[in-house]
Structures are given as structure tokens and as C-alpha cells.
Amino acid sequence: MLRALLFCLLMLTPATASAQTLVIAHRGASGERPEHTRAAYELAIAQGADFIEPDLVMSRDGVLVVRHENALSDTTDVAGRPEFADRRRTQDIDGRATTDWFSEDFTLAELRTLRTRERLPELRGTVFDGQEVILTLEEVLDLAEAASTRSGRRIGVIPELKHPSHFAAIGLPMEAELAGILMARGLDGPDAPVIVQSFEVGALKTLDGLIDAPLMLLVSPVGGPADLPGTTYAALLTDPGLAEVAAYADWIGVEASLVVPRVQGASGRATDLPARAHAAGLKIGVWTLRAEDRFLPSDFRGDLRGWFRRFEAAGVDGVFTDNPGDVR
């Protein structure tokens, strides 16, 4: 596949020209700063991350903004803002009724008035709450470009489209907007320091027709793509399924247990998924490695770097982590 062959060139450009497993800063250095904030991204870059990850949702006026979900209460102060109390509502998101404040009900200017906060305060504290505003995709791309210039190494950006079929259904399609931004910046080619992710197949197929930048299908251990009822992620990880994915994507990004399962709380024997993905012409990333012991298998408590190396040994090409400074 031409896309896969051309994408191999990308691996020579971020950070250093080596075969090292890529370190992908999951929402920035989100183990140490509130996720998707400028501070989290800048810290991740300072710690040597190869890529930073902005999750993307849409504002009411069609701007791609950076939040893990379109539901805002977990990571902003919206619940404490009386002027927005009447925006709280219930809607169906990917088949689940969700009650919250949603990005699509706010203009960018209104979103800018909110302040970010830590999503896991019981683990990571609240000392950095209230200090930053919500970023746009364009601002994250600017940040990565400026950091690349300062550091002399290429900082990649790996945006994820969140709930693209939901946004399309309410008249806010994401794919063309993202493609337009990347094309305007010359980041739409196979050698661009960009990988676009989604859990939905349709979004990636649409992007495959718009840009040549590498694409990643995200895969969970359960369920299936929200836009393909009746299709399971398990089916997409069979050899025929991987061959099908390789027709429109360059990577799969899988939950870590699909590569190293846990057996009675400890790490088990690695699966053959990396080898099978590579045989299909796909690269493979895993998500998400975190430093807190509650997220680590019992045999790697206090040893995130060792846990990271376990995946390197299993043959993966990239690892998403909340703690990029602790894995190399």
C-alpha cells in the first residue's frame, strides 16, 4: 500500500532518526498538569515526547477545540458558572444518554471564558486548576511548530476526532474542517509530523480521501465503532479485519491489554497482535500507560519505565502515556 510505504518516511523525522518506540504524550503530560492545557503540552515536549495528543471536539460556531469529550464538566469549571446553568441538558452520545454541558452548545468565545481543571483530582490534586483556557487545534499546532523551531527536533501532533458521527448529525462535520487546517499548513502529506486518530471508521475513510497524512484506527477491547453498528473491534483485529483496516489507515492504536494482557493483576504473556499488524502493513500504538500504581500491573508497581519497555519488547511502534518524562 502506497500510504504505508510513504508513511515509513515519517518515522525518521520526529525527535531523532532512530527505531525507538515513539513516546506519545497522552493529552500532554497529563499525569502532572491538567490534560489538554498549554502547560501539559509544553511539559511533555520538555520531557522529550515525540508527539503530543489533542483530542478534538467542536464549538457551536464550528471551531475544533481541544477537550477529551464534548461533555465539559469533568475538565472545566462550567458547573460553577451560573451564567451557563441553563445549558446543562441530556443528549445521546454514541448510544448513551449523557447529562452535562456540551461544547457544541457554546461558541468559541464562550468556551474561552471557562477555565480548565484536573480530571482526576483524587490522584493528581488541584493545584493547577483554574489557570488556563481551552485551546484550539490551531493553537496546539502553533505550539508544536514553535517548540520544534526552538528545540531543533520535530514535534509531532496526533489529534483525535471525538464522536465525529455525532457532530456530523448535528451539522458540525469535523473531517473537512480538520483537513482544511492541515492543508493550509502543509501538514496533509505522508511525511507530515501528524497522525490523525479516531475510534470511528467512517471518519478515517473520509479523511483518507482528503489528505495523505497518516491515519490511526483506535481499538477498544470491547464494543465496536459507533458509526458501524454490528461491527466489533474484535473482528477488526482478525487477520482479514486488519487487511481491511490497512486499506484506509496506517496505524492501529489499541488498549494496552490487547498487547500485554493482565493475569490475576500481573502482566501476562504478550500477544501476537504487533506481529500480525505489521504483517498487514500497519504500525501499532498502545494506550494508555500511567504512573500511578492503580493503573499498573502488580509486577510493575512503581516502575513505569519498565512497563514501557515491556511494550517495546513486544514490538509496538508507539506508546501513549500520561507521564512521558518517566518512560525513557
Side-chain angles (χ1 to χ4, degrees), residues 161-179:
L161 294 182
K162 306 294 294 199
H163 314 298
S165 59
H166 165 76
F167 281 109
I170 60 173
L172 292 169
M174 308 177 82
E175 297 90 339
E177 181 69 17
L178 173 61

Side-chain angles (χ1 to χ4, degrees), residues 92-159:
D92 182 277
I93 306 293
D94 295 347
R96 179 171 18 176
T98 304
T99 301
D100 211 293
W101 292 260
F102 299 98
S103 66
E104 60 265 37
D105 296 331
F106 294 76
T107 65
L108 176 62
E110 290 172 328
L111 289 171
R112 290 289 206 186
T113 70
L114 303 178
R115 292 298 178 268
T116 59
R117 69 177 196 177
E118 173 57 51
R119 189 174 60 88
L120 299 173
E122 71 282 5
L123 287 179
R124 297 170 177 174
T126 60
V127 67
F128 298 106
D129 283 7
Q131 297 184 12
E132 298 206 39
V133 299
I134 292 176
L135 298 172
T136 65
L137 170 62
E138 298 249 36
E139 288 172 324
V140 176
L141 293 172
D142 287 343
L143 185 157
E145 181 180 359
S148 297
T149 300
R150 286 196 312 271
S151 66
R153 66 185 184 93
R154 203 174 190 190
I155 311 300
V157 178
I158 181 165

Side-chain angles (χ1 to χ4, degrees), residues 26 28-35 118 123-124 291-292 321-324:
H26 183 242
S30 55
E32 300 180 62
R33 299 292 186 275
E35 64 187 45
E118 173 57 51
L123 287 179
R124 297 170 177 174
E292 292 90 356
T321 177
D322 288 4
N323 306 85

Side-chain angles (χ1 to χ4, degrees), residues 164-245:
S165 59
H166 165 76
F167 281 109
I170 60 173
L172 292 169
M174 308 177 82
E175 297 90 339
E177 181 69 17
L178 173 61
I181 289 171
L182 296 180
M183 287 189 285
R185 290 169 171 264
L187 295 174
D188 56 317
D191 61 341
V194 169
I195 307 169
V196 182
Q197 323 163 69
S198 181
F199 280 98
E200 295 189 19
V201 169
L204 296 180
K205 287 185 174 180
T206 297
L207 286 167
D208 188 36
L210 296 174
I211 59 175
D212 292 322
L215 306 175
M216 176 187 287
L217 177 67
L218 296 170
V219 177
S220 174
V222 297
D227 61 328
L228 291 178
T231 297
T232 66
Y233 288 123
L236 294 175
L237 294 182
T238 64
D239 289 344
L242 291 170
E244 180 182 326
V245 172

